[in-house]
Amino acid sequence: MPRETLFEPLTWWRFALYALALPASLLLALFFMYALAAWQKHYAWADMDWDQSGHTSLGEFMHSRNVGTRIVTMDGRLCAEYFEQSSGQRLRLNCPNPQ
């Protein structure tokens, strides 16, 4: 009696399962790569609220992989500017309160 393996016999059910599992696993790997890139930016969760809505969504977390930070001078104060790395567009400017 022949032994059944993972691929043999290749029925239509197994073919459909493999055809769906491959793209799903690639999308999952891409999601984790983006999440790792965003996590390595070391932004605080509250700092990643790019649309200033009051809460940080998963989309904003994933978007932070493409956000850079630079120090700029505004009115004699040092401020942190968050900008889009692909276009250079400013997302937010954090300046300390004058004392």
Side-chain angles (χ1 to χ4, degrees):
M1 177 174 222
R3 251 179 41 191
E4 189 173 313
T5 66
L6 190 60
F7 295 103
E8 304 253 341
L10 186 60
T11 61
W12 71 272
W13 176 249
R14 284 187 181 170
F15 178 76
L17 181 67
Y18 297 145
L20 292 175
L22 180 65
S25 63
L26 291 176
L27 283 174
L28 190 62
L30 183 66
F31 174 81
F32 282 115
M33 285 175 20
Y34 280 8
L36 181 63
W39 179 69
Q40 287 179 340
K41 290 289 189 164
H42 299 291
Y43 294 136
W45 190 257
D47 288 341
M48 291 185 278
D49 182 17
W50 305 122
D51 63 359
Q52 302 291 316
S53 64
H55 72 280
T56 302
S57 67
L58 182 62
E60 288 173 320
F61 169 71
M62 297 298 267
H63 178 79
S64 66
R65 70 181 169 79
N66 192 30
V67 174
T69 308
R70 61 181 161 220
I71 304 299
V72 295
T73 305
M74 239 7 201
D75 299 329
R77 297 181 295 170
L78 292 178
C79 303
E81 178 184 37
Y82 295 95
F83 65 97
E84 188 88 33
Q85 287 180 335
S86 59
S87 65
Q89 177 185 4
R90 179 186 294 172
L91 296 174
R92 187 172 62 234
L93 186 67
N94 288 352
C95 294
N97 294 330
Q99 299 187 14

